Each structure stands twice: as C-alpha cells, then as structure tokens.
Amino acid sequence: MYDMTIQLHADGDKCLYEQIYEHIRQEIKEGKLLAGERLPSTRSLAEYLQISRSTVDYAYAQLQSEGYIEARPYRGYFVCPMEDLLQMESNLGASLQMNMCDAGADLDEDKSSKKDAVNYLYDFSPNGIDMSGFPFGVWKRITKNILTDANSELFSQGEAQGDYDLRLTITRYLHSSRGVNCTPDQVIIGAGNDYLLMLLEKILGPQVKIAIENPTYKRAYQIFQSFAYPITTVDMDENGMKAGRLEKEDVSLAYVMPSHQFPTGVVMPIGRRRELLKWANGGEERYLIEDDYDSEFRYRGKPIPSLQASDTHDKVIYIGTFSKAIAPAIRVSYMVLPEKLLAAYRRSCHFYSCTVSRIDQRILNEFISEGYFERHLNKMRKIYRGKHDLLLECLRPFEKKFTISGEHAGLHLLLTAKDYTQEKTFIRAAAQNGVKVYGLSDSLVAGVPENATILLGFGGLKNQEIIEGMNLLKKAWL
C-alpha cells in the first residue's frame, strides 16, 4: 500500500494522531485492511497527509501496542491477524440484530447462526482439489522466463478469442485426449465458464428455451436464469438425461454433462448420446451444450470420447476448463463453437476483449505444449485414484445402510440411504461430529430426492483426513 485516504479535521475534538489511529483501527476491524497487508511508511503517510511524521509515529505506536499492527525490521508495518476479534464482533452484531427481530425470525436466525458457527474438522467438499502435487517450481520457471525475455507484445491487446498459439495447443490436446474435432478458429478462451456462458447468450440471442438435467450444476442453472431463458428441467435415469422428454418439450437447447454428470456421477452411455444427437439433428436451431468439466479423472473402464466427437452435424457446443485439472485460480476455460455459430459470434461479439491475461495464456500454453501438463495429470490421476480407492475401502461398513454410486470418475462419491431417513438428519449428525457433508437436494432445481443422498468429495483431503473423517461419520451414521 502506498497511500491511505484519511479525512482529518484540524479543528475537531480529537487530535490528529487519534483520528489516524481510529481510522486505521476501524479499517482493520471491518476487514478493509487485511491480515498481512502492508501499511504506508510513516514518512510517506505523513507526506501524503501533509502532517508531521511524529503524528503518524504516535498513531502507529498505539496501534502496535494494542496488537492491530506489527513492525517488521527493514520491511515496515503490517496488519496483524484479526480473525478472533472479527468473529467476536460479528457474533455480537448478530446477537443485537436478533434481539430486534420477532420471535419467529429469532428462531430462524439462531439456527442459521449455529449452522455457520460449526467448527468442522473435515470438509468432504465435492469441489475440493489437491494442490500438493502442483509443480510450483515449473510454473514459476516458465513465468520467470516469459517475463525476462522482453516479450513486449504480451502487454498489448491480443485477439478477442484468445491467443492463437494457445487455441492451437488446446485443439491438439482436445483431439488427442477427448476426440474433439475442431480448428483454432472455433475456440474461444475466457476467464471461467461463467463468462463463456454469458458470451454464448449473446451468440444465441435472448429467450432461448433450454432444457437442463435435474439435478444439475446449480451455478449454470442460475446463469441461464439470469438470461431470462425459459428453463425446462428434465429428470434423469441411470443413463443420464431422458432424451425422450426433449421431443415432448418446446426447447431448442439442452445443457448436459455426459462424461461425468454433476452431481450424480452418471457416465452417459453411447446409446443415450446418440439419442441426444438425434434430437439435436431434428431442428435447424437445436444445439447441445456439453460441459466437460472434469473428464480427466476416470477410474473404471476405458476413456469415453466427448459427445462432440460423435457429432457429425455440427450440433454440439463444447465447454471445458483447466480449473479441476490444474487449479481453480488459473481461471482459464474454453468453448468450442460449431462452425454454424461462428458467424453469429463474429457478428455479435467480435468487440468483446479476451478476459484472460496474455501472460497467463502464454504460461499455460508453454505448460501444456512442453509436456508438463500431461505429466501433472498423470501424477494427479495416481493421487486421486489412491484417495478414491481409500474412500471406497472406508465405505465398506456403510454398505448395509447406503448404496454407493458415482465411483467411476470424478472427485466425489454418492451415498444414497436405503431407508427413509431425511437428508438433513444425516447432515446434522455429521456436523455434530465435526464433519461437513453435502446433500444432493442442493443441486435439485425441482422436486425432492426419494431417498436421502450425500455427496462425499475426496479431492481436497489428505489420506489420513479421509480415514479420520470417515471414522467420525461411522460414529454419526451407523
């Protein structure tokens, strides 16, 4: 931090150093100054505020004595961790707010507060990934080489669809790993699937009637809702979306995850895929959106090509991401448009700039093209397979009470109760034992599950944490 805007009142009731002290203290309490954040030096802040340096020294000394900031030799002043204080004040504020509510609201607030206040020992999030195997050294070296090679063109505006070299690398990777047939001209790079779906809305136009699986990836559903798209939910069976329903509905777009449906884990067989493609071929404006979010991690059977690989009539819009395979913070996704939609893209979206930094694109391109990505994937497949098999082993005692599914691919498994115990009962019992689990109902757009189903993610947990967490769940559920 270089400057800090503080409204000082020379004729106020409080002296200047007190005003500086109270301003910084309040900024820290409110989380506007984060733990570890560097403060301006006393000299620079004094010059910026046009006051005596000793005034700033007094304010900093008081903040330091109260534990709000710390001085690091030869480096400056930094904000101290304030989690305990912030949590205490948050709880106090919540209590005061509840006292002002009616009795019914009090009860709901209390339940929500207690739920959020649980200190979980283990979190079986289906979205967790393992970063312990990430080649930080390689990524750092590639970044350093790119930034030291005087690549001045990287600081100029690039192509709207993303740099050609990365698009070419992605087409080669998709063809070899997923059977996707495309050219670099069909690829659009964006910072996350959210951006690509918003771009797709501009390409397809407003009020497109869309069918989605139920349950589904809720974020995609919310994005389609924000477009004001009329949405039809289509129930699933053991093979995925019921394609027969599409012919009965007035829709022209269907969003599916055939390689590993979220959250059910269903891998769509070739027969059902052909049914979907047949439906899409039955209308000029019909398209399938294939979300291939984590196809890299498969543990049973032979790899299954993408739906787009079987498309002979240019009807599949393919979307993929590097968030699961590399890291969520990479924020690089890609969309492969059918040739028929390229003209609409160039007509309606050519002026949108690419949302991924050219430097990040170059780093990712070299990471993939030089073979580091493939080696990283092989390593992570081995790590995740070990966790997957360990979790299945830990689940053996649960087989009398639950049906286990979704074990063929991905980073989570599903437990479906054989009795009619409610989902929230399992979640509450797990929480009471310090374990956070997730219910299938969170992904349902309509209806309720016939039997309680729990999602158990293993990607973000260490092996020992999986064992200890499952022991606690055994205590909670069995």
Side-chain angles (χ1 to χ4, degrees):
M1 177 179 288
Y2 300 99
D3 298 322
M4 180 181 293
T5 301
I6 304 175
Q7 296 292 334
L8 297 179
H9 303 282
D11 56 350
D13 295 335
K14 297 178 181 178
C15 57
L16 295 181
Y17 96 86
E18 284 183 288
Q19 295 179 46
I20 296 172
Y21 155 77
E22 290 186 356
H23 175 86
I24 296 176
R25 183 184 65 171
Q26 192 63 27
E27 293 282 288
I28 295 173
K29 282 180 161 184
E30 293 178 357
K32 295 176 182 178
L33 287 174
L34 304 179
E37 190 168 351
R38 184 177 180 178
L39 298 177
S41 68
T42 56
R43 182 189 299 276
S44 65
L45 184 58
E47 291 178 356
Y48 181 71
L49 297 176
Q50 295 294 294
I51 58 176
S52 166
R53 182 179 177 183
S54 62
T55 302
V56 180
D57 283 331
Y58 286 137
Y60 276 24
Q62 185 63 32
L63 289 165
Q64 186 177 359
S65 66
E66 294 183 14
Y68 287 98
I69 66 174
E70 62 180 351
R72 299 178 187 176
Y74 308 107
R75 296 186 61 193
Y77 291 93
F78 294 81
V79 178
C80 293
M82 299 297 294
E83 289 85 354
D84 294 339
L85 177 62
L86 290 172
Q87 181 63 41
M88 180 183 69
E89 293 184 348
S90 176
N91 291 342
L92 178 60
S95 299
L96 291 173
Q97 185 178 16
M98 283 194 292
N99 289 336
M100 298 173 65
C101 299
D102 60 77
D106 278 354
L107 184 59
D108 291 338
E109 283 279 332
D110 185 56
K111 288 179 179 178
S112 175
S113 178
K114 287 180 179 178
K115 181 179 179 182
D116 293 338
V118 173
N119 292 319
Y120 294 105
L121 299 173
Y122 307 104
D123 186 350
F124 283 85
S125 171
N127 299 316
I129 68 169
D130 190 336
M131 290 301 297
S132 65
F134 185 77
F136 291 100
V138 170
W139 195 269
K140 181 178 180 180
R141 185 170 67 251
I142 293 174
T143 304
K144 182 179 179 181
N145 291 341
I146 288 173
L147 294 177
T148 56
D149 284 347
N151 292 303
S152 58
E153 77 279 2
L154 293 181
F155 294 89
S156 61
Q157 187 170 5
E159 299 175 68
Q161 291 181 227
D163 284 357
Y164 182 86
D165 288 347
L166 178 56
R167 287 187 282 128
L168 176 61
T169 298
I170 288 175
T171 60
R172 297 177 63 185
Y173 163 68
L174 290 177
H175 183 70
S176 62
S177 65
R178 305 294 299 125
V180 172
N181 298 302
C182 65
T183 66
D185 287 340
Q186 293 175 257
V187 178
I188 299 173
I189 295 169
N193 287 14
D194 297 2
Y195 167 76
L196 294 177
L197 289 177
M198 288 189 285
L199 199 63
L200 190 59
E201 190 261 347
K202 302 299 181 185
I203 297 170
L204 297 174
Q207 295 297 310
V208 176
K209 296 178 180 178
I210 183 172
I212 63 170
E213 301 160 314
N214 187 41
T216 189
Y217 176 47
K218 207 65 169 288
R219 191 177 185 89
Y221 168 75
Q222 292 167 338
I223 291 172
F224 293 132
Q225 249 191 341
S226 73
F227 301 157
Y229 275 6
I231 300 174
T232 298
T233 58
V234 178
D235 291 337
M236 300 175 58
D237 58 21
E238 67 277 4
N239 293 324
M241 176 184 275
K242 296 178 180 178
R245 275 281 311 280
L246 294 178
E247 293 290 355
K248 301 175 183 178
E249 302 292 343
D250 181 21
V251 295
S252 58
L253 197 64
Y255 173 81
V256 293
M257 293 168 276
S259 295
H260 183 240
Q261 204 275 343
F262 185 89
T264 65
V266 169
V267 178
M268 187 179 290
I270 188 64
R272 182 60 56 83
R273 294 174 184 232
R274 286 173 178 166
E275 291 179 42
L276 288 176
L277 289 170
K278 181 180 178 181
W279 168 81
N281 295 336
E284 184 66 26
E285 300 299 323
R286 290 180 180 178
Y287 291 98
L288 297 166
I289 300 176
E290 178 181 12
D291 189 342
D292 205 13
Y293 69 100
D294 74 345
S295 59
E296 291 87 357
F297 305 114
R298 183 169 174 79
Y299 314 110
R300 299 285 187 273
K302 297 180 180 179
I304 298 177
S306 66
L307 180 64
Q308 198 267 7
S310 303
D311 177 24
T312 57
H313 291 79
D314 221 21
K315 289 292 185 177
V316 176
I317 301 165
Y318 181 91
I319 295 179
T321 178
F322 292 105
S323 293
K324 288 279 189 181
I326 300 180
I330 297 300
R331 298 298 295 161
V332 177
S333 296
Y334 46 87
M335 176 167 61
V336 178
L337 285 177
E339 290 280 358
K340 296 177 183 178
L341 293 179
L342 282 177
Y345 166 76
R346 289 166 182 153
R347 182 175 60 253
S348 305
C349 307
H350 66 278
F351 50 85
Y352 286 100
S353 299
C354 182
T355 51
V356 180
S357 157
R358 295 193 69 194
I359 295 174
D360 291 338
Q361 291 185 62
R362 177 67 67 84
I363 294 169
L364 181 59
N365 181 59
E366 293 197 17
F367 187 71
I368 299 172
S369 60
E370 293 181 10
Y372 298 114
F373 179 53
E374 184 178 2
R375 288 194 285 274
H376 174 62
L377 271 183
N378 290 335
K379 180 178 181 180
M380 295 313 300
R381 286 190 186 107
K382 184 176 180 180
I383 291 174
Y384 287 140
R385 180 184 290 273
K387 295 183 180 185
H388 168 272
D389 293 345
L390 175 61
L391 181 56
L392 281 177
E393 182 66 26
C394 292
L395 285 172
R396 286 193 177 186
F398 294 76
E399 291 178 346
K400 291 182 179 180
K401 194 170 182 177
F402 297 91
T403 299
I404 301 168
S405 60
E407 71 274 20
H408 297 295
L411 301 180
H412 73 274
L413 302 175
L414 293 92
L415 273 67
T416 301
K418 294 181 179 180
D419 59 20
Y420 290 99
T421 304
Q422 291 186 339
E423 182 183 281
K424 61 183 179 181
T425 301
F426 289 115
I427 295 175
R428 187 185 303 116
Q432 289 171 350
N433 284 270
V435 181
K436 188 171 186 178
V437 296
Y438 300 78
L440 181 70
S441 61
D442 290 340
S443 300
L444 282 170
V445 177
V448 294
E450 184 176 348
N451 293 80
T453 299
I454 301 297
L455 280 64
L456 290 180
F458 54 84
L461 295 172
K462 299 176 182 177
N463 288 353
Q464 188 60 35
E465 290 175 333
I466 292 175
I467 295 172
E468 294 172 1
M470 291 309 300
N471 285 335
L472 291 174
L473 288 181
K474 188 188 302 183
K475 177 183 175 183
W477 294 346
L478 301 184

